[in-house]
């Protein structure tokens, strides 16, 4: 079965490569060979390849450790936890791309100022998405997988904590930033740090705590890789991480998650009902608390970036327009209104 899946996947990659090649030839015509262009591509691409290769060792190492220190039941729950994180990973990738494309739209006259601001707003969106998904994760897993995988949410939440730590140091956006700046060797360095720290912590934690230790090792890898990317960006490009603004954006997400968790646990134990309660409580509380803690200007910039997200930004445009009017009417009434 695994061999069949890999065969199908490889054939899909080959088919897509042929299709993209034909599209390029039809659009741009016959390409001219350039040694200089080839050299530049290789210089930028090889470090990215190293970063990807370093990450390939993490999964097999952790799987081998789990096979020796965990039961099949625990391994099954751990695999479900990893699969449940796919929507978050997709969303973070979209946020990373959208953040860079909206840099010129953020207030500021120089690249350093714009980049520093976009780092904060990418953290804001990432933390909101991660916390929101964490709020509905437990009932969501029960709905799709059943009560046999009741341990999976705990493993997934630990890994989500690592994603939050990475977002705090703006590691997601900095990976794309290094590519844009033409200095991809730091992508390789960060990738190696992630793989090394994850594997090293797994060798210690998995024998002691099983799948929970494996989830924690992934979180450790995210923490160290995000920290490494942040240190490189601050020293080489003099980027400033605005911790005050970061806390202002993290606080509403954390508060909304706590409220949704308490509401779900207090009001219902049925998965579908808990899913509805958790989702609506998180969304309502986050949207209410965000402008109060982050402020009007930060909230407006955040809404503007969300509208530029690939694919979903256009769908969210009516909602974002209504939310902007709601914020202005409810929290920031004009001083010129009569008494």
């Amino acid at each position: 079965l695994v061999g069949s899946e890999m065969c199908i996947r490889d054939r899909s990659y080959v088919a897509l490569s042929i299709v993209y090649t034909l599209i390029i030839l039809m659009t741009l015509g016959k390409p001219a060979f350039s040694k200089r262009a080839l050299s530049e591509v290789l210089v930028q691409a090889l470090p990215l390849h190293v970063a990807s290769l370093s990450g390939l060792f993490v999964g097999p190492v952790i799987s081998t450790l789990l096979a020796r220190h965990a039961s099949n039941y625990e391994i099954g729950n751990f695999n479900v936890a990893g699969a449940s994180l796919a929507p978050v990973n997709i969303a973070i990738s979209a946020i990373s791309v959208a953040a860079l494309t909206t840099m010129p739209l953020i207030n500021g006259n120089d690249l350093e100022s714009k980049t520093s601001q976009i780092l904060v707003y990418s953290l804001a969106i990432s933390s909101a998405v991660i916390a929101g998904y964490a709020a509905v994760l437990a009932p969501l897993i029960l709905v799709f997988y059943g009560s046999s995988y009741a341990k999976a949410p705990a493993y997934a939440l630990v890994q989500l904590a690592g994603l939050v730590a990475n977002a705090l140091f703006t590691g997601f956006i900095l990976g794309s930033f290094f590519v844009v700046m033409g200095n991809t060797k730091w992508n390789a360095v960060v990738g190696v740090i992630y793989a090394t720290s994850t594997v090293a912590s797994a060798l210690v934690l998995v024998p002691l705590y099983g799948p929970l230790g494996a989830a924690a090792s992934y979180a450790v890898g995210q923490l160290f890789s995000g920290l490494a990317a942040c240190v490189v960006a601050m020293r080489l490009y003099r980027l400033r991480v605005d911790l005050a603004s970061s806390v202002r954006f993290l606080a509403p997400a954390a508060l909304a998650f706590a409220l949704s968790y308490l509401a779900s646990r207090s009001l219902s134990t049925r998965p579908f009902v808990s899913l509805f309660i958790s989702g609506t409580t998180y969304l309502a509380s986050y949207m209410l608390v965000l402008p109060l803690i982050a402020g009007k200007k930060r909230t407006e910039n955040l809404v503007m970036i969300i509208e530029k997200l690939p694919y979903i930004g256009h769908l969210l445009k009516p909602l974002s327009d209504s939310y902007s009017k709601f914020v202005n009417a409810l929290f920031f009434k004009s001083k010129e209104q009569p008494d």
Side-chain angles (χ1 to χ4, degrees), residues 77-154:
N77 275 264
F78 182 79
N79 290 336
V80 166
S84 68
L85 298 179
V88 172
N89 293 326
I90 294 173
I92 289 175
S93 298
I95 292 168
S96 177
V97 173
L100 287 176
T101 59
T102 52
M103 249 205 299
L105 301 177
I106 302 297
N107 294 330
N109 298 320
D110 58 278
L111 179 62
E112 179 182 339
S113 173
K114 293 175 182 178
T115 304
S116 297
Q117 290 184 61
I118 205 64
L119 293 178
V120 173
Y121 290 109
S122 66
L123 162 67
I125 301 175
S126 299
S127 60
V129 170
I130 295 171
Y133 191 69
V136 301
L137 182 60
L140 197 64
I141 289 179
L142 291 177
V143 167
F144 283 99
Y145 294 96
S147 58
S148 297
Y149 296 93
K151 287 188 175 182

Side-chain angles (χ1 to χ4, degrees), residues 142-210:
L142 291 177
V143 167
F144 283 99
Y145 294 96
S147 58
S148 297
Y149 296 93
K151 287 188 175 182
Y155 304 150
L157 287 175
V158 173
Q159 295 183 62
L160 286 176
L163 295 179
V164 172
N166 191 295
L168 179 62
F169 294 110
T170 62
F172 300 125
I173 190 65
L174 288 176
S176 299
F177 176 75
F178 294 146
V179 174
V180 172
M181 299 304 294
N183 208 349
T184 55
K185 67 179 182 180
W186 295 114
N187 294 80
V189 171
V190 171
V192 171
I193 290 175
Y194 167 76
T196 304
S197 58
T198 302
V199 170
S201 58
L203 292 173
V204 176
L205 296 176
V206 173
L208 294 176
Y209 303 105

Side-chain angles (χ1 to χ4, degrees), residues 258-278:
L259 292 175
S260 64
Y261 177 81
L262 292 175
S264 177
R265 293 294 297 270
S266 302
L267 299 178
S268 176
T269 57
R270 297 181 178 180
F272 280 103
V273 179
S274 296
L275 180 62
F276 176 78
I277 293 175
S278 299

Side-chain angles (χ1 to χ4, degrees), residues 9-32:
R9 183 191 63 186
D10 293 342
R11 289 180 179 178
S12 300
Y13 287 153
V14 172
L16 286 175
S17 300
I18 295 175
V19 171
Y20 284 133
T21 301
L22 292 176
I23 293 175
I24 292 174
L25 292 176
M26 293 173 61
T27 305
L28 302 177
K30 184 179 180 180

